[in-house]
Amino acid sequence: MPEAPKKTSVVVPMDYVEDHGLADKNKKVLQFIEDVTSNADEVQKRVLAEIITRNAHVEYLARYGLNGRTDRETFKKIMPVITYEDLQPDITRIANGDMSPIISGQPISEFLTSSGTSAGERKLMPTIEEELERRSLLYSLLMPVMSQYVSDLEKGKGMYFLFIKSEAKTPGGLVARPVLTSYYKSSHFKNRPYDPYTNYTSPNETILCPDSYQSMYSQMLCGLFQNKEVLRVGAVFASGFIRAIRFLEKHWQLLCNDIRNGTIDPQITDPSVRDAVLKIIKPNPKLADFIEVECSRNSWKGIITRLWPNTKYIDVIVTGTMSQYIPTLDYYSNGLPLDFIGIE
């Protein structure tokens, strides 16, 4: 089923997310995590019951004879364990414009697409509007956990290389796009209130730029210019962050020129990106000289801690196939700690 209930014990109450001061806010978030994980079996039972209740009369459940029943035992007894391929005909109907309650009692707002790395073809996953709220909540839980192990993270910025990917429309007119593209283009990200944990060196406009070169260049330029403020660096995947460092290896001279003169290279043509970056960049010949010296050295070992000297850790996904990049990250960072927490 594509949704969980909106009002349930696994949704943080408003007093968990209101700003009562950072320390108190972190304490409340950590207590919430403790509350929903200390008795996970009971929480899951309640969530399942509420999901079934909200969707008791959808076509998919009726097809197997649930007939409006909402008890867990009946659900377990008659509902089969299925694969994506079993649901594909229903997903195709939704993609083609059938808005009847096929698998959800709530309207399908868009499709999230898989990476396609496992089977070579992207899968379409129906989702609903309120799922964005839960995703935003989930992302917000990470930094209070990290703050228990790394101090003073609220006193600087994160330099994250974040990008949107291409999206398409189904025949029925629904958008289909990767989960993080959906999040970055949502109001939850674009209009997020100030939070020291989501204070990034990259303006939203640079992240939302569809041109990958312009996006990378402008994010790197902003990250270099604010180098003393950076306390953590990263990307979604380890490969993405290494790609950013190798981009710097290739383009550092252009970047130094822009920092020296307070400009942005003419190849960056997106007007919203140019405007956003030029609000940050000012002429800084001293910083440009420093970057030039470091990037001109024979070895790039430790380049992360050399250019961003206050960095405390690298925040990337390094599990699974990404583990092959750990030695490279260690080389570039002089062995900075790697934060394994990540959400794709």
Side-chain angles (χ1 to χ4, degrees):
M1 309 302 293
E3 73 226 45
K6 191 170 185 178
K7 294 182 179 179
T8 178
S9 54
V10 297
V11 175
V12 178
M14 282 305 296
D15 64 353
Y16 275 91
V17 293
E18 289 174 355
D19 187 7
H20 296 287
L22 191 62
D24 191 38
K25 182 178 178 180
N26 286 351
K27 183 178 178 181
K28 289 178 181 292
V29 168
L30 294 172
Q31 184 59 52
F32 164 71
I33 295 173
E34 181 66 24
D35 291 346
V36 297
T37 56
S38 59
N39 196 5
D41 185 57
E42 288 303 314
V43 171
Q44 288 182 336
K45 288 178 182 178
R46 290 197 298 269
V47 171
L48 176 60
E50 294 183 32
I51 289 174
I52 299 171
T53 299
R54 291 185 68 184
N55 298 280
H57 300 288
V58 300
E59 179 185 323
Y60 176 76
L61 296 182
R63 187 181 304 157
Y64 289 97
L66 200 63
N67 297 325
R69 286 172 290 184
T70 59
D71 61 286
R72 181 169 176 259
E73 291 70 25
T74 302
F75 180 85
K76 288 177 64 178
K77 182 179 179 181
I78 69 174
M79 296 304 297
V81 176
I82 61 171
T83 65
Y84 175 82
E85 286 68 29
D86 295 319
L87 274 178
Q88 197 161 14
D90 293 322
I91 291 173
T92 300
R93 286 173 57 192
I94 298 168
N96 287 336
D98 189 336
M99 298 303 291
S100 58
I102 301 171
I103 59 174
S104 170
Q106 303 295 310
I108 301 300
S109 57
E110 65 179 321
F111 285 101
L112 304 178
T113 58
S114 68
S115 63
T117 54
S118 57
E121 184 175 342
R122 291 190 175 188
K123 294 180 173 65
L124 295 177
M125 296 168 283
T127 189
I128 61 174
E129 184 64 33
E130 69 185 54
E131 176 59 24
L132 265 171
E133 299 174 19
R134 283 185 286 275
R135 248 183 286 152
S136 300
L137 165 64
L138 183 60
Y139 299 154
S140 74
L141 302 181
L142 300 179
M143 291 308 297
V145 174
M146 283 301 301
S147 68
Q148 294 185 100
Y149 305 97
V150 184
S151 62
D152 299 328
L153 290 177
E154 74 281 1
K155 295 180 180 179
K157 295 184 178 184
M159 183 182 72
Y160 288 87
F161 296 96
L162 307 175
F163 303 92
I164 60 171
K165 295 185 178 179
S166 61
E167 58 185 50
K169 281 198 173 182
T170 67
L174 290 174
V175 174
R177 54 194 176 188
V179 60
L180 286 174
T181 298
S182 168
Y183 174 63
Y184 296 149
K185 297 184 83 169
S186 75
S187 61
H188 295 275
F189 179 79
K190 292 191 292 186
N191 302 325
R192 63 192 184 279
Y194 174 79
D195 185 321
Y197 292 149
T198 58
N199 189 13
Y200 303 135
T201 57
S202 298
N204 287 354
E205 292 83 356
T206 64
I207 296 170
L208 296 171
C209 178
D211 184 289
S212 59
Y213 176 87
Q214 294 188 56
S215 180
M216 178 72 84
Y217 187 95
S218 55
Q219 291 190 62
M220 182 63 76
L221 180 60
C222 291
L224 286 169
F225 189 81
Q226 301 170 84
N227 73 319
K228 292 292 181 65
E229 299 176 64
V230 172
L231 298 185
R232 59 194 194 278
V233 299
V236 178
F237 294 108
S239 58
F241 185 69
I242 290 173
R243 188 159 52 248
I245 298 301
R246 289 176 176 164
F247 182 94
L248 175 61
E249 285 188 77
K250 186 176 181 179
H251 300 287
W252 63 264
Q253 291 172 311
L254 287 175
L255 292 157
C256 280
N257 181 68
D258 282 339
I259 291 172
R260 190 180 308 280
N261 298 303
T263 57
I264 183 168
D265 193 80
Q267 292 182 80
I268 310 306
T269 58
D270 186 310
S272 65
V273 171
R274 294 186 66 86
D275 289 346
V277 171
L278 289 174
K279 289 178 182 177
I280 297 172
I281 303 299
K282 309 295 179 189
N284 192 333
K286 184 177 179 180
L287 176 59
D289 290 342
F290 166 74
I291 296 170
E292 183 175 18
V293 167
E294 294 300 330
C295 292
S296 297
R297 297 186 188 277
N298 291 331
S299 172
W300 271 52
K301 180 177 172 59
I303 193 66
I304 295 170
T305 50
R306 283 155 45 192
L307 292 180
W308 297 278
N310 297 317
T311 303
K312 295 173 180 281
Y313 67 91
I314 301 175
D315 188 356
V316 291
I317 293 175
V318 290
T319 52
T321 59
M322 292 295 147
S323 62
Q324 64 182 301
Y325 297 107
I326 292 176
T328 306
L329 290 171
D330 287 341
Y331 175 81
Y332 282 134
S333 71
N334 271 336
L336 278 177
L338 300 176
D339 171 20
F340 282 57
I341 297 175
I343 299 175
E344 179 180 357

